[in-house]
Each structure stands twice: as C-alpha cells, then as structure tokens.
Amino acid sequence: MNCATVKEWMPHYIEGLLSPEAELRIRLHIESCPDCAQWLEEAREMSALWNEMENGQESMDALDFPDITADVMGQIEQLESGRRERAVRATMARRRTAPRTSWVHYGVAVGLTFLLLQLGVFKDMAYGITEINGHMSTSVSAWLNSEGTNK
C-alpha cells in the first residue's frame, strides 16, 4: 500500500469504518512509514479538535444573541429600492433623447460618406478589393495543391 492511499483512507481508519483487512494493511504501512505515522497523529489531533468544537457548538447555541436578520434585510431592501428608482429615472431620461440623437448620428454618417465620396477617397477601393481577392484565391489554390487534395 502506498502513502497516498493511506492518507486518503486515514479518516475512515481513525473512525474505524474500514474492513479488518484494509485496517490491517493500513496499520502495517503506518508501522513501517514514519511520515504516515506522523500524518496519523496529526489527523487524530485534528479529529479531536473537531469533536471538541462540535461539542462546544451546542453551548454557543444556548447563548442569547440578538436577531439582527430583519434589520439587515430591511436595510438591504431600502438600498435596493433606491437603486431601482435611480435606474428607472436614468433609463427614462435616456429614452426621451435617444430617438433624436440616433437621427443626428445617421445624418452625420450620411454627410461624411457623401463628403468622402466627393473627395474621391473610395475611388480605388473596388480595385483594391478585387486585387486582395485574387491574391487570396491564388494562395488558397497553392496551399490545396501542396497538400495534394486538389491536383
């Protein structure tokens, strides 16, 4: 049995939940491996601490702590309703101006396009696109022929 398996099954070994054969194999490994023996001691100490903490938890439940849940939830609801009101007001303000501004944007875009056409910015664009397509077609054909799939 290796150390990783022993460490994995250590909690079950401590609680006595293993079969007698598995418990014997783990015990023999622990007796021959100082690292696993130390791991067993640390695991037993942690188990004892855990059990003490669980037993101490019952006494903590008996203490009288004030219930602040309702107050906290009320504060959260107030913050959330204020946030919703601010969001609605901001959205309504945007909706009133959005249609007008969108037409202005479209108008500016049309005007700039017309101006660029008049200045001749787009006159060589068709030739450039055709040339790029030709280069791409040639390179794809060359690649396919080098792969041997389209000869």
Side-chain angles (χ1 to χ4, degrees), residues 16-29:
L17 301 175
L18 296 176
S19 66
E21 298 85 24
E23 189 173 322
L24 175 64
R25 287 187 297 169
I26 289 176
R27 188 170 3 120
L28 291 174
H29 177 85

Side-chain angles (χ1 to χ4, degrees), residues 137-149:
S137 176
T138 305
S139 64
V140 169
S141 297
W143 177 72
L144 287 175
N145 288 334
S146 69
E147 292 289 321
T149 57

Side-chain angles (χ1 to χ4, degrees), residues 25-132:
R25 287 187 297 169
I26 289 176
R27 188 170 3 120
L28 291 174
H29 177 85
I30 290 172
E31 289 173 359
S32 65
C33 179
D35 289 336
C36 288
Q38 181 181 358
W39 186 275
L40 174 63
E41 289 305 314
E42 291 174 2
R44 283 185 175 155
E45 289 173 9
M46 289 186 64
S47 178
L49 286 172
W50 184 262
N51 290 334
E52 287 176 20
M53 189 173 70
E54 283 182 342
N55 293 337
Q57 188 66 24
E58 294 171 6
S59 62
M60 292 294 284
D61 292 337
L63 295 175
D64 186 28
F65 289 111
D67 185 20
I68 60 170
T69 305
D71 294 335
V72 170
M73 293 307 291
Q75 290 292 326
I76 290 172
E77 183 58 38
Q78 283 179 348
L79 291 171
E80 186 64 21
S81 64
R83 185 195 60 80
R84 278 191 227 124
E85 289 173 11
R86 286 189 304 275
V88 167
R89 276 188 256 133
T91 304
M92 288 174 58
R94 265 197 316 261
R95 283 187 186 149
R96 276 185 266 141
T97 59
R100 272 186 260 139
T101 56
S102 64
W103 284 109
V104 170
H105 292 153
Y106 291 134
V108 169
V110 167
L112 285 173
T113 304
F114 183 70
L115 178 68
L116 293 173
L117 282 171
Q118 291 298 319
L119 294 174
V121 172
F122 299 123
K123 69 179 180 179
D124 295 327
M125 184 179 274
Y127 175 74
I129 291 174
T130 305
E131 190 174 335
I132 291 171

